[in-house]
């Protein structure tokens, strides 16, 4: 049962925030949807936008500045929350990079996380809800994300290319099995057996593929990003794409950091990339 929390007129369309009871999470979850004006007339293409550590379903919609160009092109935007809320698990609010706001878009197998922390399956649950309840072309849906959300976007796309036809990312965590954020989260959520980590590591997944996205993958990375050297490892994903013969446009930008000023600078190009490769003409 969908509950609309609020709605706001925006660039001729409408920005809405919803709550629903999630079967996968076992708790109420929130998500946001931007409906472009074209959605009043029929089905449109859609883009899932996964946010990063500490963020919510509101962050991308408020800070990225994506609605203007999405309204122009007729692209629906969907942003889920980044973790369960209200699980009240031991230690789930003690650090900013584990627990609340840090679900890492995976399905936890270790107690106590495994009962509610199922964000990988939740995004797929939300996908089904969006296709069922909103005017979306099921064959015209892409995914993007930032940082932890960039990791999630790459993993979800690589594991579900039949669902997500296009993929891009801003400063994604490209090889979480090799970085402190990923090792901390994967150990807590998945256990110490690193073989199980590979299913949520975009670089490891890409090495097992052969050109899964013919339209290419777009990644933007700021060179003044304080997390670049020790957490993000885009060069590892770049090598994996070369092995997989996957076309990758990895754009490195001097001066830009990890935040939403960086995202808002390049978000229009990402929106156009997805629209074009989902069948748009602009």
């Amino acid at each position: 049962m969908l509950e609309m929390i609020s709605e706001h007129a925006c660039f001729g369309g409408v920005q809405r925030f919803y709550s629903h009871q999630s079967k996968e999470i076992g708790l109420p979850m929130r998500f946001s949807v931007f409906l472009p004006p074209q959605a009043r007339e029929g089905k449109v293409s859609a883009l899932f936008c996964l946010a990063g550590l500490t963020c919510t379903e509101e962050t991308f919609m408020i800070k990225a500045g994506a609605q203007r160009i999405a309204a122009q092109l007729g692209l629906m935007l969907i942003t889920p929350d980044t973790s369960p809320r209200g699980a009240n698990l031991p230690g789930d609010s003690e650090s900013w990079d584990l627990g609340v706001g840090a679900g890492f878009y995976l399905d936890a197998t270790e107690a106590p996380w495994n009962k509610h922390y199922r964000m990988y399956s939740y995004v797929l649950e939300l996908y089904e809800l969006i296709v069922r309840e909103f005017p979306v072309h099921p064959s015209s849906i892409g995914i993007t994300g930032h940082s932890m959300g960039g990791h999630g976007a790459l993993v979800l796309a690589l594991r579900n290319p039949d669902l997500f036809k296009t993929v891009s990312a801003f400063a994604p965590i490209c090889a979480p099995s090799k970085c402190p954020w990923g090792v901390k989260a994967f150990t807590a959520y998945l256990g110490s057996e690193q073989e199980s980590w590979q299913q949520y590591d975009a670089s490891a997944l890409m090495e097992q593929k052969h050109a899964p996205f013919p339209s290419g993958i777009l990644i933007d990375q700021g060179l003044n990003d304080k997390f670049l050297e020790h957490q993000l490892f885009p060069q590892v994903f770049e090598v994996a794409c070369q092995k997989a013969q996957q076309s990758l446009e990895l754009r490195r930008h001097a001066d830009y950091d990890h935040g939403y000023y960086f995202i808002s600078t390049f978000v229009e190009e990402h929106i156009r990339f997805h629209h074009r490769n989902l069948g748009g003409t602009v």
Side-chain angles (χ1 to χ4, degrees), residues 4-267:
M4 189 165 65
I5 299 169
S6 66
E7 64 176 344
H8 316 272
C10 184
F11 292 104
V14 60
Q15 177 66 58
R16 291 177 178 169
F17 296 90
Y18 289 94
S19 175
H20 73 120
Q21 183 68 33
S22 167
K23 294 180 181 178
E24 291 292 345
I25 301 297
L27 293 166
M29 290 291 290
R30 294 191 177 199
F31 66 95
S32 59
V33 174
F34 172 69
L35 290 157
Q38 295 86 343
R40 298 192 190 99
E41 307 300 324
K43 293 183 177 181
V44 297
S45 298
L47 180 63
F48 277 71
C49 309
L50 308 187
L53 290 163
T54 76
C55 294
T56 72
E57 76 285 351
E58 294 183 308
T59 311
F60 181 88
M61 296 303 194
I62 292 173
K63 293 184 175 182
Q67 290 95 333
R68 178 187 61 80
I69 188 64
Q72 178 184 325
L73 299 178
L75 189 69
M76 186 183 301
L77 305 175
I78 304 107
T79 301
D81 201 351
T82 56
S83 78
R85 307 280 169 171
N88 299 319
L89 300 178
D92 70 358
S93 298
E94 290 181 0
S95 59
W96 64 277
D97 55 358
L98 182 70
V100 175
F104 267 84
Y105 302 100
L106 55 75
D107 289 348
T109 56
E110 296 294 299
W113 309 102
N114 55 338
K115 184 176 181 180
H116 298 296
Y117 276 69
R118 297 179 51 79
M119 289 301 296
Y120 174 86
S121 289
Y122 173 70
V123 174
L124 299 180
E125 177 188 358
L126 182 59
Y127 181 104
E128 293 180 358
L129 184 154
I130 293 294
V131 169
R132 184 174 67 248
E133 300 291 341
F134 293 85
V136 173
H137 288 296
S139 61
S140 188
I141 298 176
I143 191 166
T144 189
H146 169 230
S147 193
M148 177 185 72
H151 141 74
L154 293 172
V155 168
L156 278 148
L158 284 167
R159 291 180 58 177
N160 302 278
D162 54 328
L163 300 182
F164 299 105
K165 305 303 183 183
T166 56
V167 58
S168 73
F170 299 90
I173 303 172
C174 290
S177 297
K178 303 178 184 296
C179 76
W181 279 340
V183 170
K184 179 178 180 178
F186 284 8
T187 302
Y189 295 141
L190 302 173
S192 58
E193 178 49 64
Q194 297 191 18
E195 184 69 24
S196 66
W197 298 4
Q198 303 309 298
Q199 62 184 314
Y200 299 111
D201 187 308
S203 295
L205 288 169
M206 181 59 79
E207 287 188 350
Q208 307 304 315
K209 303 287 185 178
H210 177 74
F213 291 95
S215 59
I217 296 173
L218 174 62
I219 293 178
D220 278 306
Q221 175 63 61
L223 294 180
N224 198 32
D225 186 328
K226 66 181 180 180
F227 302 117
L228 175 57
E229 182 178 357
H230 299 294
Q231 300 283 14
L232 304 181
F233 298 155
Q235 70 277 10
V236 176
F237 188 70
E238 189 173 33
V239 170
C241 285
Q242 291 170 356
K243 291 180 179 178
Q245 298 181 19
Q246 171 61 57
S247 174
L248 169 68
E249 186 175 6
L250 173 54
R251 308 190 304 184
R252 296 171 168 91
H253 304 280
D255 302 325
Y256 287 92
D257 61 21
H258 195 70
Y260 270 84
Y261 297 113
F262 157 63
I263 294 172
S264 64
T265 301
F266 300 105
V267 72

